[in-house]
């Protein structure tokens, strides 16, 4: 235990960048505990409520479902109201500086609440907790935080929470290195229609700008039989869509010794399971092999949407990013996929303002967007992340120039999205109805197989079902339509 500014802090483990970067050869064990909640902790949440605020990617969204599962098993109930919560967890993202700023803003807001209600427990977890500098900053400056844990020890939440509730000190336990794969985590899934399924954890790609390999550890694949059992169970429960998750799903199986089993094999088996839609994210172009393309071209429940982040259109920048492909190789791969999966929608991620990016290099990103005609793209201004190789590169591009480039890129991406959406005008599309539209509760919203958002008026009884909708208006980011009869696709 240490004492900083009058606050006692119990540090079980602290993040260490050098460790986080290391890729050891030791085997990853799969552990299957009967229960992660020790007997004496089963009722500690009785009469209390928890709130988890999630930032970042789908991986975090799904981790939050696992944490919620653990908390429910401890007797807590869930709430959306900050004022009602007895435990608040911030599941954080470290990918860009603005993501981190949002979290520090929220940590600041919670201080007043903690002063008012000292028995409130505030925890910080997720990718930011894996950063040395963040943990140090919280310990020094945000002493109203009670608990910090990371991405590798989520299953330890019950014990850590107990220590935070009964001890008066701040509890810090962040493992720098990945641990075992824990199966049997209770999962409190948010919806009854769409489900996330982790297929692997971690990333070994070490793109020079990216923090994820440090915050999520080395690549570890779940066993195919565990994934398939989970998908079969979701199908039995009536889920309509699953998304297979990993930071680099194309590397799936590489660490499963002696198996020669990759994402293509896994998708081929899932193809046979009676669940209407299967998506996956995120793919890295480098390992997108012909076997996977041929499996995806079988269609059926494998939907026609490929998200394949390219990051940049210039080969020199791609090299500096350590993406390990050239513009030409990406274009060739994109064409191969488009030939094999006709009508596939093709989306991507793009970074502008990488250190020393010239106007000419940036224009190659624009020309790539024109050449591939991405259906949509997530676009970001490069954000230096402490500890990554790119953060050490000198950068001569002023922020105004980066912003201006982002504006031009977005205008082009939107123009192409709008044009591509026009192809849907008057077409009848298959829509999985997700719920009420966020903007108007009288309208329902759902997605096509190609991941287009569709808004239409229909009875609420079709929520969670797959229906046909005729598109009446194509907009830049969404389609409006009318449901065709009550025709429901096979449920
Ligand atoms: N594993 C996924 C993406 C993870 S992060 C992949 O490799 O495709 C999602 C996106 O955030 C990345 O594709 C990239 O475009 C962006 N990103 C990652 N690090 C960034 C940084 N330091 N600055 C700006 N954008 C970044
Ligand atoms: Fe980051 Fe690259 Fe890994 Fe994606 S593949 S998570 S961008 S290091
Ligand atoms: Fe963010 Fe971590 Fe995901 S850094 S994007 S939450 S893996």
């Amino acid at each position: 235990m240490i004492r900083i500014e009058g606050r006692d802090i119990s540090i079980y483990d602290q993040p260490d960048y050098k460790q986080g970067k290391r890729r050891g050869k030791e085997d990853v064990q799969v552990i299957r505990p009967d229960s992660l909640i020790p007997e004496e902790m089963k009722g500690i949440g009785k009469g209390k409520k928890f709130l988890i605020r999630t930032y970042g990617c789908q991986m975090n969204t799904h981790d939050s479902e696992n944490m919620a599962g653990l908390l429910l098993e401890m007797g807590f109930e869930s709430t959306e109201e900050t004022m009602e919560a007895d435990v608040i967890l911030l599941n954080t993202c470290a990918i860009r500086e603005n993501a981190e700023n949002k979290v520090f803003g929220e940590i600041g807001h919670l201080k007043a609440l903690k002063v008012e209600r000292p028995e409130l427990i505030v925890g910080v977890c997720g990718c930011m907790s894996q950063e040395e500098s963040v943990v140090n900053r919280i310990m020094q400056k945000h002493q109203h935080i009670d608990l910090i844990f990371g991405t590798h020890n989520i299953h330890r939440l019950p014990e850590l929470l107990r220590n935070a509730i009964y001890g008066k000190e701040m509890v810090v336990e962040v493992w720098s290195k990945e641990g075992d794969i824990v199966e049997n985590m209770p999962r409190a899934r948010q919806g009854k229609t769409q489900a996330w399924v982790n297929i692997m954890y971690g990333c070994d790609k070490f793109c020079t700008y990216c923090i994820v390999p440090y915050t999520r550890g080395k690549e570890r694949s779940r066993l195919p039989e565990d994934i398939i059992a989970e998908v079969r169970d979701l199908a039995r429960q009536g889920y309509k869509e699953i998304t297979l998750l990993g930071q680099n799903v194309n590397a799936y199986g590489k660490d499963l010794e002696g198996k020669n089993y990759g994402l293509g094999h896994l998708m081929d088996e899932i193809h046979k399971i009676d669940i209407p839609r299967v998506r996956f994210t995120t793919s890295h172009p480098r390992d997108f092999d012909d076997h996977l393309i041929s499996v995806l071209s079988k269609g059926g429940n494998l939907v026609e949407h490929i998200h394949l982040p390219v990051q940049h259109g210039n080969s020199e920048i791609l090299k500096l990013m350590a993406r390990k492909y050239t513009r030409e190789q990406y274009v060739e791969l994109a064409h191969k996929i488009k030939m094999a999966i006709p009508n596939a929608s093709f989306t991507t991620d793009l970074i502008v303002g990488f250190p020393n990016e010239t106007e000419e290099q940036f224009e190659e990103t624009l020309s790539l967007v024109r050449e591939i005609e991405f259906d949509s793209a997530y676009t970001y201004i490069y954000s230096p992340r402490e500890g990554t190789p790119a953060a050490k590169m000198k950068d001569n591009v002023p922020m105004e120039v980066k912003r201006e480039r982002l504006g031009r890129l977005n205008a082009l991406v939107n123009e192409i999205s709008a044009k591509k959406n026009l192809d849907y005008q008057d077409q009848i599309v298959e829509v999985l109805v997700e719920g009420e539209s966020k903007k108007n509760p009288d309208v329902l919203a759902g997605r096509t197989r190609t991941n287009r958002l569709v808004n239409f008026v229909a009875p609420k009884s079709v929520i969670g079902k797959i229906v046909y909708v005729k598109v009446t208006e194509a907009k830049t980011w969404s389609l409006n339509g009318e449901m065709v009869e009550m025709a429901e696709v096979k449920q």
Side-chain angles (χ1 to χ4, degrees), residues 10-74:
S10 279
I11 301 177
Y12 297 89
D13 276 298
Q14 239 177 310
D16 170 347
Y17 255 145
K18 285 209 194 76
Q19 285 288 336
K21 204 153 71 174
R22 209 163 276 165
R23 290 295 183 263
K25 284 261 173 285
E26 59 283 339
D27 281 347
V28 172
Q29 303 293 321
V30 178
I31 56 170
R32 302 167 195 281
D34 287 338
S35 167
L36 291 163
I37 324 276
E39 220 30 65
E40 74 275 13
M41 287 179 229
K42 287 215 164 116
I44 75 165
K46 269 236 160 62
K48 293 187 177 161
K49 296 193 171 162
F50 73 88
L51 181 150
I52 306 178
R53 200 151 281 156
T54 309
Y55 303 80
C57 65
Q58 294 97 333
M59 198 77 66
N60 258 13
T61 307
H62 189 41
D63 285 348
S64 289
E65 292 182 332
N66 290 341
M67 292 181 215
L70 290 166
L71 290 161
L72 289 170
E73 282 203 3
M74 293 165 79

Side-chain angles (χ1 to χ4, degrees), residues 171-454:
V171 173
V172 179
E173 185 182 286
V174 180
W175 298 353
S176 304
K177 270 176 66 63
E178 64 288 336
D180 301 321
I181 291 183
V182 184
E183 291 293 343
N184 301 354
M185 280 269 244
R187 298 184 179 94
R189 299 190 191 271
Q190 266 167 7
K192 297 246 169 296
T193 309
Q194 193 280 339
W196 310 109
V197 177
N198 270 133
I199 63 167
M200 61 182 298
Y201 304 96
C203 180
D204 289 347
K205 282 282 185 258
F206 286 100
C207 302
T208 54
Y209 50 82
C210 185
I211 194 80
V212 171
Y214 308 81
T215 65
R216 292 276 170 177
K218 81 169 176 185
E219 288 173 354
R220 290 147 290 149
S221 303
R222 284 179 73 198
L223 294 173
E225 52 269 36
D226 287 328
I227 299 168
I228 286 161
E230 186 175 338
V231 176
R232 288 222 171 93
D233 186 45
L234 290 166
R236 255 194 308 273
Q237 291 179 49
Y239 279 87
K240 297 292 189 304
E241 178 177 296
I242 56 161
T243 305
L244 307 179
L245 286 183
Q247 282 303 341
N248 172 18
V249 287
N250 303 77
Y252 175 76
K254 290 196 167 163
D255 56 318
L256 298 173
E257 296 233 337
K259 273 207 155 66
N260 190 24
Y261 189 98
L263 183 62
H265 301 94
L266 183 68
M267 298 291 279
D268 211 9
E269 286 198 54
I270 293 178
H271 175 62
K272 296 177 200 134
I273 299 177
D274 194 11
I275 197 150
R277 289 182 178 188
V278 180
R279 303 185 183 280
F280 60 102
T281 198
T282 304
S283 318
H284 189 292
R286 172 86 184 179
D287 306 315
F288 210 112
D289 60 30
D290 288 351
H291 177 233
L292 176 63
I293 297 175
S294 78
V295 170
L296 293 177
S297 71
K298 293 182 182 178
N301 60 2
L302 310 179
V303 298
E304 301 76 23
H305 173 214
I306 308 291
H307 183 66
L308 194 61
V310 63
Q311 313 299 358
H312 209 277
N314 170 269
S315 295
E316 280 163 56
I317 298 260
L318 287 171
K319 191 159 188 208
L320 291 171
M321 288 177 160
R323 292 289 291 182
K324 302 191 177 70
Y325 53 81
T326 60
R327 174 191 175 112
E328 292 68 31
Q329 285 168 328
Y330 183 90
V331 169
E332 198 189 313
L333 175 63
H335 285 312
K336 204 162 31 165
I337 296 172
K338 286 185 175 192
M339 292 288 283
I341 313 167
N343 307 323
S345 85
F346 214 79
T347 59
T348 201
D349 294 350
L350 294 161
I351 295 178
V352 301
F354 190 76
N356 309 316
E357 179 194 56
T358 64
E359 172 62 24
E360 291 70 34
Q361 288 172 327
F362 166 67
E363 282 173 14
E364 285 197 57
T365 293
L366 294 180
S367 71
L368 183 75
V369 170
R370 267 190 220 101
E371 184 172 351
I372 306 277
E373 292 207 309
F374 293 106
D375 292 72
S376 69
Y378 294 103
T379 56
Y380 308 102
I381 291 183
Y382 164 73
S383 171
R385 308 315 294 133
E386 196 187 320
T388 62
K392 295 190 196 87
M393 298 176 190
K394 282 229 172 63
D395 186 3
N396 62 12
V397 191
M399 192 42 99
E400 309 93 79
V401 174
K402 297 189 188 207
R403 288 214 187 90
E404 187 264 340
R405 284 180 189 164
L406 182 70
R408 279 153 69 202
L409 177 59
N410 285 343
L412 177 64
V413 165
N414 293 343
E415 181 193 314
I416 293 172
S417 297
K419 183 179 118 191
K420 292 222 132 186
N421 273 354
L422 280 179
D423 294 345
Y424 287 82
Q425 182 73 41
D426 302 324
Q427 300 286 317
I428 293 178
V429 288
E430 187 198 295
V431 175
L432 172 56
V433 191
E434 291 177 356
E436 292 169 3
S437 146
K438 285 198 186 97
K439 291 189 195 139
N440 178 354
D442 295 333
V443 173
L444 298 183
R447 289 194 182 262
T448 63
R449 287 170 62 94
T450 54
N451 213 31
R452 291 293 198 289
L453 180 64
V454 186

